[in-house]
Amino acid sequence: MLRVVVLGAAAGGGVPQWNCGCPVCRTARNEHPELQSTQASIAVSADGEHWFLINASPDLRQQLTATSQLHPKQGQLRHSPIAGVILTNGEIDAVAGLLSMREGSPFTLYAHERVLAILKSNSIFNVLNEKNVKRQPIAVEKAFEPALPDGSPSGIEILPFEVPGKGAWYLQGKAHPAGAGGAGDTLGLRILDKASGKYLYFVAACAKVTDDLKVRLEGAALVFFDGTVWRDDELIAAGLGNKTGQGMGHISMSGEHGAIASLKGLDIGRKMFLHINNSNPALLHGSDERKTAEQAGWHIPADGMEITL
């Protein structure tokens, strides 16, 4: 049985974003605090005792405090049920939380070599002593089973695969620590429970739904999918920025080539948007955008939601 906890569902900056007075942030801050959300991450477990984080958001400490499943075992002075962290990219949204795990508890960090090269090039990540935090490379299209602290199998199989996207924005115009070219900067994950055969997909960043991606997602019990913006020019139209969704490497929810239309008709058990930007009107209950998404079978999860497959 695969257990999943949504640690956070928001895009970078969370909801509300600290310096934003847009309609969503104002509503979340003043009228409907239930709309507040931390930055995107989930935790998965096959035994309910050992957990693996999918990405380590900047809000990780807050998320761990709010999630009882991830608290230290009662009666132990130092303990964590977190056996590993699996990174899907090198963006700040995905890696900054690692710095909140520097207190010496052992775990394994799984990431593509291109992402590991980014971490290695920045000395601040040396606070994660490699004697305690082993850095394990993962490869595109090569399934692996993350290990428990004693080295035994976890019962979870992870298959990383490339999705259309962009590398970390802070590296734009600079030499990539791993060199130019090559897949691995933006990954999706298939997460399978080896006992039941059920699986979910985690795709928090995706610029385009390809035919290959449709084939992969068909038959999944659960899909977490990039829901950053409702429309491609959302930030520009709202006066919040000068980048499009595509310019940031993210597909829109709506539109002819958006996620809702592109994934329509696929046999997917549950469809959930993740990595939702504070500018996205689909966050607001009762909005036309929210109604459209829900009528198409999509859900917007709340922080702390637990799902069992």
Side-chain angles (χ1 to χ4, degrees), residues 23-281:
V24 172
C25 287
R26 289 200 310 271
T27 302
R29 191 178 286 120
N30 301 312
E31 302 168 37
H32 292 282
E34 69 276 10
L35 295 180
Q36 295 180 12
S37 181
T38 57
Q39 295 167 84
S41 175
I42 65 172
V44 297
S45 174
D47 61 10
E49 182 178 353
H50 303 93
W51 292 82
F52 294 88
L53 307 184
I54 309 301
N55 292 336
S57 91
D59 297 319
L60 183 59
R61 181 187 174 279
Q62 176 184 345
Q63 293 168 342
L64 299 187
T65 299
T67 307
S68 60
Q69 298 92 326
L70 302 179
H71 290 176
K73 187 177 294 184
Q74 190 171 0
Q76 295 193 26
L77 288 177
R78 293 285 187 177
H79 168 263
S80 173
I82 298 172
V85 179
I86 303 162
L87 302 179
T88 64
N89 60 72
E91 288 283 10
I92 292 173
D93 300 6
V95 305
L98 292 172
L99 300 178
S100 296
M101 303 178 75
R102 63 188 184 276
E103 282 79 18
S105 289
F107 65 91
T108 302
L109 178 61
Y110 300 89
H112 192 274
E113 288 181 343
R114 292 185 64 79
V115 174
L116 290 180
I118 293 173
L119 301 183
K120 186 176 182 179
S121 70
N122 190 330
S123 61
I124 195 171
F125 289 101
N126 290 340
V127 297
L128 297 172
N129 191 318
E130 292 194 43
K131 292 181 179 179
N132 288 323
V133 181
K134 180 182 178 182
R135 301 186 184 186
Q136 180 66 47
I138 62 177
V140 173
E141 302 296 351
K142 291 188 178 181
F144 68 97
E145 182 171 3
L148 300 184
D150 63 1
S152 61
S154 62
I156 298 174
E157 181 185 88
I158 309 287
L159 177 66
F161 59 94
E162 186 181 13
V163 293
K166 288 196 170 185
W169 68 267
Y170 55 83
L171 290 176
Q172 290 183 13
K174 301 178 181 178
H176 195 293
D185 283 307
T186 305
L187 298 178
L189 302 176
R190 186 193 69 187
I191 304 171
L192 178 143
D193 176 39
K194 296 185 74 173
S196 68
K198 292 184 178 180
Y199 57 91
L200 66 89
Y201 277 90
F202 181 90
V203 185
C206 181
K208 178 183 178 182
V209 174
T210 63
D211 289 340
D212 175 72
L213 185 56
K214 290 182 183 180
V215 171
R216 289 182 188 274
L217 301 185
E218 180 79 26
L222 172 65
V223 169
F224 290 104
F225 198 81
D226 187 349
T228 306
V229 293
W230 177 256
R231 48 184 274 192
D232 189 53
D233 64 347
E234 181 173 295
L235 291 171
I236 298 171
L240 296 173
N242 56 13
K243 292 183 179 180
T244 64
Q246 285 292 306
M248 297 184 292
H250 296 284
I251 193 173
S252 62
M253 289 185 181
S254 68
E256 183 180 356
H257 301 292
I260 293 174
S262 297
L263 299 177
K264 182 180 180 180
L266 293 185
D267 178 21
I268 297 172
R270 300 178 74 176
K271 298 180 291 187
M272 294 195 175
F273 280 122
L274 199 73
H275 196 268
I276 307 166
N277 201 56
N278 62 83
S279 60
N280 194 326

